[in-house]
mmCIF file with all atom_site columns, all heavy atoms in Angstrom:
data_model
loop_
_atom_site.group_PDB
_atom_site.id
_atom_site.type_symbol
_atom_site.label_atom_id
_atom_site.label_alt_id
_atom_site.label_comp_id
_atom_site.label_asym_id
_atom_site.label_entity_id
_atom_site.label_seq_id
_atom_site.pdbx_PDB_ins_code
_atom_site.Cartn_x
_atom_site.Cartn_y
_atom_site.Cartn_z
_atom_site.occupancy
_atom_site.B_iso_or_equiv
_atom_site.pdbx_formal_charge
_atom_site.auth_seq_id
_atom_site.auth_comp_id
_atom_site.auth_asym_id
_atom_site.auth_atom_id
_atom_site.pdbx_PDB_model_num
ATOM 1  N N   . ALA Q 1 159 ? -1.030 7.824   -11.846 1.00 95.00 ? 297 ALA Q N   1
ATOM 2  C CA  . ALA Q 1 159 ? -2.108 7.140   -12.568 1.00 95.00 ? 297 ALA Q CA  1
ATOM 3  C C   . ALA Q 1 159 ? -1.611 6.596   -13.909 1.00 95.00 ? 297 ALA Q C   1
ATOM 4  O O   . ALA Q 1 159 ? -1.997 5.493   -14.323 1.00 95.00 ? 297 ALA Q O   1
ATOM 5  C CB  . ALA Q 1 159 ? -3.284 8.086   -12.784 1.00 95.00 ? 297 ALA Q CB  1
ATOM 6  N N   . GLN Q 1 160 ? -0.754 7.342   -14.582 1.00 95.00 ? 298 GLN Q N   1
ATOM 7  C CA  . GLN Q 1 160 ? -0.194 6.876   -15.855 1.00 95.00 ? 298 GLN Q CA  1
ATOM 8  C C   . GLN Q 1 160 ? 0.640  5.613   -15.659 1.00 95.00 ? 298 GLN Q C   1
ATOM 9  O O   . GLN Q 1 160 ? 0.563  4.670   -16.454 1.00 95.00 ? 298 GLN Q O   1
ATOM 10 C CB  . GLN Q 1 160 ? 0.668  7.975   -16.482 1.00 95.00 ? 298 GLN Q CB  1
ATOM 11 C CG  . GLN Q 1 160 ? -0.124 9.134   -17.050 1.00 95.00 ? 298 GLN Q CG  1
ATOM 12 C CD  . GLN Q 1 160 ? 0.774  10.289  -17.488 1.00 95.00 ? 298 GLN Q CD  1
ATOM 13 O OE1 . GLN Q 1 160 ? 1.978  10.134  -17.647 1.00 95.00 ? 298 GLN Q OE1 1
ATOM 14 N NE2 . GLN Q 1 160 ? 0.174  11.454  -17.682 1.00 95.00 ? 298 GLN Q NE2 1
ATOM 15 N N   . LEU Q 1 161 ? 1.418  5.591   -14.590 1.00 96.00 ? 299 LEU Q N   1
ATOM 16 C CA  . LEU Q 1 161 ? 2.226  4.409   -14.298 1.00 96.00 ? 299 LEU Q CA  1
ATOM 17 C C   . LEU Q 1 161 ? 1.338  3.218   -13.930 1.00 96.00 ? 299 LEU Q C   1
ATOM 18 O O   . LEU Q 1 161 ? 1.634  2.075   -14.309 1.00 96.00 ? 299 LEU Q O   1
ATOM 19 C CB  . LEU Q 1 161 ? 3.215  4.710   -13.169 1.00 96.00 ? 299 LEU Q CB  1
ATOM 20 C CG  . LEU Q 1 161 ? 4.379  5.620   -13.545 1.00 96.00 ? 299 LEU Q CG  1
ATOM 21 C CD1 . LEU Q 1 161 ? 5.107  6.104   -12.293 1.00 96.00 ? 299 LEU Q CD1 1
ATOM 22 C CD2 . LEU Q 1 161 ? 5.353  4.885   -14.472 1.00 96.00 ? 299 LEU Q CD2 1
ATOM 23 N N   . ASP Q 1 162 ? 0.257  3.479   -13.208 1.00 96.00 ? 300 ASP Q N   1
ATOM 24 C CA  . ASP Q 1 162 ? -0.694 2.412   -12.896 1.00 96.00 ? 300 ASP Q CA  1
ATOM 25 C C   . ASP Q 1 162 ? -1.305 1.870   -14.190 1.00 96.00 ? 300 ASP Q C   1
ATOM 26 O O   . ASP Q 1 162 ? -1.508 0.663   -14.332 1.00 96.00 ? 300 ASP Q O   1
ATOM 27 C CB  . ASP Q 1 162 ? -1.804 2.931   -11.978 1.00 96.00 ? 300 ASP Q CB  1
ATOM 28 C CG  . ASP Q 1 162 ? -1.303 3.196   -10.563 1.00 96.00 ? 300 ASP Q CG  1
ATOM 29 O OD1 . ASP Q 1 162 ? -0.334 2.541   -10.136 1.00 96.00 ? 300 ASP Q OD1 1
ATOM 30 O OD2 . ASP Q 1 162 ? -1.891 4.060   -9.880  1.00 96.00 ? 300 ASP Q OD2 1
ATOM 31 N N   . GLY Q 1 163 ? -1.591 2.782   -15.129 1.00 96.00 ? 301 GLY Q N   1
ATOM 32 C CA  . GLY Q 1 163 ? -2.125 2.369   -16.427 1.00 96.00 ? 301 GLY Q CA  1
ATOM 33 C C   . GLY Q 1 163 ? -1.105 1.572   -17.228 1.00 96.00 ? 301 GLY Q C   1
ATOM 34 O O   . GLY Q 1 163 ? -1.464 0.618   -17.935 1.00 96.00 ? 301 GLY Q O   1
ATOM 35 N N   . GLU Q 1 164 ? 0.152  1.948   -17.104 1.00 96.00 ? 302 GLU Q N   1
ATOM 36 C CA  . GLU Q 1 164 ? 1.219  1.205   -17.785 1.00 96.00 ? 302 GLU Q CA  1
ATOM 37 C C   . GLU Q 1 164 ? 1.292  -0.218  -17.242 1.00 96.00 ? 302 GLU Q C   1
ATOM 38 O O   . GLU Q 1 164 ? 1.502  -1.172  -18.000 1.00 96.00 ? 302 GLU Q O   1
ATOM 39 C CB  . GLU Q 1 164 ? 2.554  1.920   -17.584 1.00 96.00 ? 302 GLU Q CB  1
ATOM 40 C CG  . GLU Q 1 164 ? 3.701  1.312   -18.375 1.00 96.00 ? 302 GLU Q CG  1
ATOM 41 C CD  . GLU Q 1 164 ? 5.005  2.066   -18.185 1.00 96.00 ? 302 GLU Q CD  1
ATOM 42 O OE1 . GLU Q 1 164 ? 4.961  3.233   -17.733 1.00 96.00 ? 302 GLU Q OE1 1
ATOM 43 O OE2 . GLU Q 1 164 ? 6.058  1.484   -18.479 1.00 96.00 ? 302 GLU Q OE2 1
ATOM 44 N N   . TYR Q 1 165 ? 1.097  -0.354  -15.927 1.00 96.00 ? 303 TYR Q N   1
ATOM 45 C CA  . TYR Q 1 165 ? 1.097  -1.692  -15.344 1.00 96.00 ? 303 TYR Q CA  1
ATOM 46 C C   . TYR Q 1 165 ? -0.056 -2.520  -15.900 1.00 96.00 ? 303 TYR Q C   1
ATOM 47 O O   . TYR Q 1 165 ? 0.116  -3.697  -16.240 1.00 96.00 ? 303 TYR Q O   1
ATOM 48 C CB  . TYR Q 1 165 ? 0.981  -1.627  -13.818 1.00 96.00 ? 303 TYR Q CB  1
ATOM 49 C CG  . TYR Q 1 165 ? 0.762  -2.997  -13.213 1.00 96.00 ? 303 TYR Q CG  1
ATOM 50 C CD1 . TYR Q 1 165 ? 1.819  -3.910  -13.133 1.00 96.00 ? 303 TYR Q CD1 1
ATOM 51 C CD2 . TYR Q 1 165 ? -0.504 -3.406  -12.792 1.00 96.00 ? 303 TYR Q CD2 1
ATOM 52 C CE1 . TYR Q 1 165 ? 1.616  -5.196  -12.640 1.00 96.00 ? 303 TYR Q CE1 1
ATOM 53 C CE2 . TYR Q 1 165 ? -0.707 -4.678  -12.298 1.00 96.00 ? 303 TYR Q CE2 1
ATOM 54 C CZ  . TYR Q 1 165 ? 0.351  -5.568  -12.219 1.00 96.00 ? 303 TYR Q CZ  1
ATOM 55 O OH  . TYR Q 1 165 ? 0.152  -6.845  -11.756 1.00 96.00 ? 303 TYR Q OH  1
ATOM 56 N N   . VAL Q 1 166 ? -1.236 -1.903  -16.023 1.00 95.00 ? 304 VAL Q N   1
ATOM 57 C CA  . VAL Q 1 166 ? -2.405 -2.612  -16.551 1.00 95.00 ? 304 VAL Q CA  1
ATOM 58 C C   . VAL Q 1 166 ? -2.119 -3.158  -17.951 1.00 95.00 ? 304 VAL Q C   1
ATOM 59 O O   . VAL Q 1 166 ? -2.461 -4.306  -18.274 1.00 95.00 ? 304 VAL Q O   1
ATOM 60 C CB  . VAL Q 1 166 ? -3.637 -1.689  -16.587 1.00 95.00 ? 304 VAL Q CB  1
ATOM 61 C CG1 . VAL Q 1 166 ? -4.803 -2.360  -17.312 1.00 95.00 ? 304 VAL Q CG1 1
ATOM 62 C CG2 . VAL Q 1 166 ? -4.065 -1.308  -15.178 1.00 95.00 ? 304 VAL Q CG2 1
ATOM 63 N N   . SER Q 1 167 ? -1.467 -2.352  -18.775 1.00 94.00 ? 305 SER Q N   1
ATOM 64 C CA  . SER Q 1 167 ? -1.196 -2.763  -20.156 1.00 94.00 ? 305 SER Q CA  1
ATOM 65 C C   . SER Q 1 167 ? -0.073 -3.789  -20.265 1.00 94.00 ? 305 SER Q C   1
ATOM 66 O O   . SER Q 1 167 ? -0.038 -4.578  -21.207 1.00 94.00 ? 305 SER Q O   1
ATOM 67 C CB  . SER Q 1 167 ? -0.856 -1.530  -21.010 1.00 94.00 ? 305 SER Q CB  1
ATOM 68 O OG  . SER Q 1 167 ? 0.350  -0.919  -20.559 1.00 94.00 ? 305 SER Q OG  1
ATOM 69 N N   . LYS Q 1 168 ? 0.837  -3.805  -19.294 1.00 93.00 ? 306 LYS Q N   1
ATOM 70 C CA  . LYS Q 1 168 ? 1.994  -4.697  -19.369 1.00 93.00 ? 306 LYS Q CA  1
ATOM 71 C C   . LYS Q 1 168 ? 1.923  -5.900  -18.436 1.00 93.00 ? 306 LYS Q C   1
ATOM 72 O O   . LYS Q 1 168 ? 2.786  -6.762  -18.480 1.00 93.00 ? 306 LYS Q O   1
ATOM 73 C CB  . LYS Q 1 168 ? 3.275  -3.919  -19.028 1.00 93.00 ? 306 LYS Q CB  1
ATOM 74 C CG  . LYS Q 1 168 ? 3.681  -2.891  -20.049 1.00 93.00 ? 306 LYS Q CG  1
ATOM 75 C CD  . LYS Q 1 168 ? 4.999  -2.239  -19.630 1.00 93.00 ? 306 LYS Q CD  1
ATOM 76 C CE  . LYS Q 1 168 ? 5.489  -1.255  -20.671 1.00 93.00 ? 306 LYS Q CE  1
ATOM 77 N NZ  . LYS Q 1 168 ? 6.772  -0.625  -20.268 1.00 93.00 ? 306 LYS Q NZ  1
ATOM 78 N N   . ARG Q 1 169 ? 0.907  -5.957  -17.583 1.00 91.00 ? 307 ARG Q N   1
ATOM 79 C CA  . ARG Q 1 169 ? 0.923  -6.950  -16.519 1.00 91.00 ? 307 ARG Q CA  1
ATOM 80 C C   . ARG Q 1 169 ? 1.021  -8.379  -17.034 1.00 91.00 ? 307 ARG Q C   1
ATOM 81 O O   . ARG Q 1 169 ? 0.348  -8.780  -17.965 1.00 91.00 ? 307 ARG Q O   1
ATOM 82 C CB  . ARG Q 1 169 ? -0.275 -6.779  -15.588 1.00 91.00 ? 307 ARG Q CB  1
ATOM 83 C CG  . ARG Q 1 169 ? -1.623 -7.038  -16.160 1.00 91.00 ? 307 ARG Q CG  1
ATOM 84 C CD  . ARG Q 1 169 ? -2.684 -6.635  -15.154 1.00 91.00 ? 307 ARG Q CD  1
ATOM 85 N NE  . ARG Q 1 169 ? -4.015 -6.966  -15.644 1.00 91.00 ? 307 ARG Q NE  1
ATOM 86 C CZ  . ARG Q 1 169 ? -4.901 -7.644  -14.944 1.00 91.00 ? 307 ARG Q CZ  1
ATOM 87 N NH1 . ARG Q 1 169 ? -4.619 -8.044  -13.724 1.00 91.00 ? 307 ARG Q NH1 1
ATOM 88 N NH2 . ARG Q 1 169 ? -6.093 -7.911  -15.443 1.00 91.00 ? 307 ARG Q NH2 1
ATOM 89 N N   . SER Q 1 170 ? 1.902  -9.095  -16.395 1.00 92.00 ? 308 SER Q N   1
ATOM 90 C CA  . SER Q 1 170 ? 2.176  -10.492 -16.699 1.00 92.00 ? 308 SER Q CA  1
ATOM 91 C C   . SER Q 1 170 ? 2.962  -11.028 -15.509 1.00 92.00 ? 308 SER Q C   1
ATOM 92 O O   . SER Q 1 170 ? 3.407  -10.263 -14.642 1.00 92.00 ? 308 SER Q O   1
ATOM 93 C CB  . SER Q 1 170 ? 2.999  -10.626 -17.980 1.00 92.00 ? 308 SER Q CB  1
ATOM 94 O OG  . SER Q 1 170 ? 4.285  -10.047 -17.803 1.00 92.00 ? 308 SER Q OG  1
#
Side-chain angles (χ1 to χ4, degrees):
Q298 287 172 16
L299 288 167
D300 289 332
E302 186 178 342
Y303 171 74
V304 172
S305 64
K306 291 183 177 180
R307 66 188 184 129
S308 65

